[in-house]
Amino acid sequence: MLTRPPYDVVVVGAGVVGAACAYYATLAGLSVAVVDRGPVAGGTTGAGEGNLLVSDKEPGPELDLALLSTRLWGELAAEPGAAFGGEAGRGTGGGFGERIEYEAKGGLVVASGEPGMAALRAFAEGQRAAGVEAVEIAGERLYELEPHLAPGPAGGVHYPQDAQVQPALAAAHLLRAARSAGAELRLGETVTAVRTRPDGSVLGVTTDRGQIDVPAVVNAAGTWGGELARLAGVALPVLPRRGFVLVTEPLPRIVRHKVYAADYVADVASGSAALQTSAVVEGTPAGPVLIGASRERVGFDRTLSVEVLRRLAVQAAALFPVLAEVAVQRAYRGFRPYLPDHLPAIGADARLPGLYHACGHEGAGIGLAPATGLLISRQLTGKQPELDLSPFRADRFARS
Ligand SMILES: Cc1cc2nc3c(=O)[nH]c(=O)nc-3n(C[C@H](O)[C@H](O)[C@H](O)COP(=O)(O)OP(=O)(O)OC[C@H]3O[C@@H](n4cnc5c(N)ncnc54)[C@H](O)[C@@H]3O)c2cc1C
């Protein structure tokens, strides 16, 4: 007698991207298991910041993904409890948005001089044509938005759509909602192989606890997405891009938006392995101000770099002089899942039927998680995705 596989899909990875995949796949009626070798958000999700940014993205596929995600984060935040049945309304109290510390606070990009302002203006113009809300603010009016900003900037652009969540809470509550609708969470379990049928399609996964037969596997292994792909016999060049974040002592609300200098955008887009720092400053509901983040490709080196922390602190104090007097409580680091063209891998892998990728989101995985999860669920259920997924194909590197 043929036995039915226990699940329709196994999601490998319980970071925010795997959580969003599980959430939307369960919502679409699929039977889902999430397998992670560690705890929920134990990978990069627990070491990220939580900016949901459209402001730093130029027109193109990543911005389209970010705009879709912005809408989805807003819808999720508006859910009265967990999004479906089960535990809705119970638990930690408050709506979904409150539980994940969602704040639609907006972003403010500041240019120190006229040349920077001209470049920022042109960048915002292109974004507006692509559907981004971007409002130019004259230098003297910046203080109405951010009273503690340093004197003298030439101007800035206000991005009302930028928002923020607490990433680990976001992953946990998405998984909680998925579980309440039937998904299974298998933590402390490592996927060691992806098994295939003679016809080359996915048969299932092997873990350190046994075998799971399943027709669809979602690679949401973040920075380790390349290793998971390798287990399935396909190449995907995901590399770690290290970033440090400084956390200050709790403060009253002195920083109201997500604030950063215009040169941050160039750092994000750079493919250089060398160190780049340009501070993004944001307050949190709990009080500490987060100052992120550096970018460098140094493998999985966890060594604390005082030089990086110093540069971040100096840049943050240049934006907000009041921060020069504030104590830093701690610093942490994480490894962004970097792909060479800065775009994630999302969707079915044409080389291995049954394998889907949802990884490689670099410094934007928190922001892009819901759109990724929704698009993967569309493919899993044979529906038309909201966006053209071809720019995110995993085999694009092999082809080039
Ligand atoms: C300093 C810093 C600041 C950042 N700031 C932001 C920000 O403000 N906004 C934003 O959008 N993004 C930000 N990011 C990026 C963001 O954190 C990542 O893009 C995102 O967390 C990736 O999530 P993920 O679910 O893909 O990966 P992860 O959270 O790393 O999850 C992958 C999971 O897969 C599991 N796994 C791997 N291999 C296996 C296996 N073989 N078997 C079982 N489990 C496995 C791991 O244990 C891990 O839990 C930042 C990153 C850093 C480092």
Side-chain angles (χ1 to χ4, degrees), residues 12-18 35-38 43-45 47-51 189-191 220-222 224 228 243-245 293 334-337 361-367:
V12 185
V16 70
V17 176
V35 179
D36 198 298
R37 61 189 174 197
T44 310
T45 296
E49 270 174 277
N51 299 314
E189 184 170 357
T190 304
V191 173
W224 303 271
L228 204 279
F244 283 97
V245 177
F335 299 94
R336 301 179 186 86
H361 297 74
E362 204 183 325
I366 316 296

Side-chain angles (χ1 to χ4, degrees), residues 16-17 20-21 24 51-54 56-57 61-70 72-73 342-344 346 358-375 387 392:
V16 70
V17 176
C21 291
Y24 286 104
N51 299 314
L52 316 177
L53 301 185
V54 293
D56 64 343
K57 295 177 180 62
E62 195 191 14
L63 179 58
D64 295 342
L65 204 57
L67 285 166
L68 174 59
S69 248
T70 296
L72 295 173
W73 274 122
H342 301 282
L343 290 179
I346 302 174
C359 64
H361 297 74
E362 204 183 325
I366 316 296
L368 302 179
T372 303
L374 180 67
L375 294 167
L387 294 179
F392 308 113

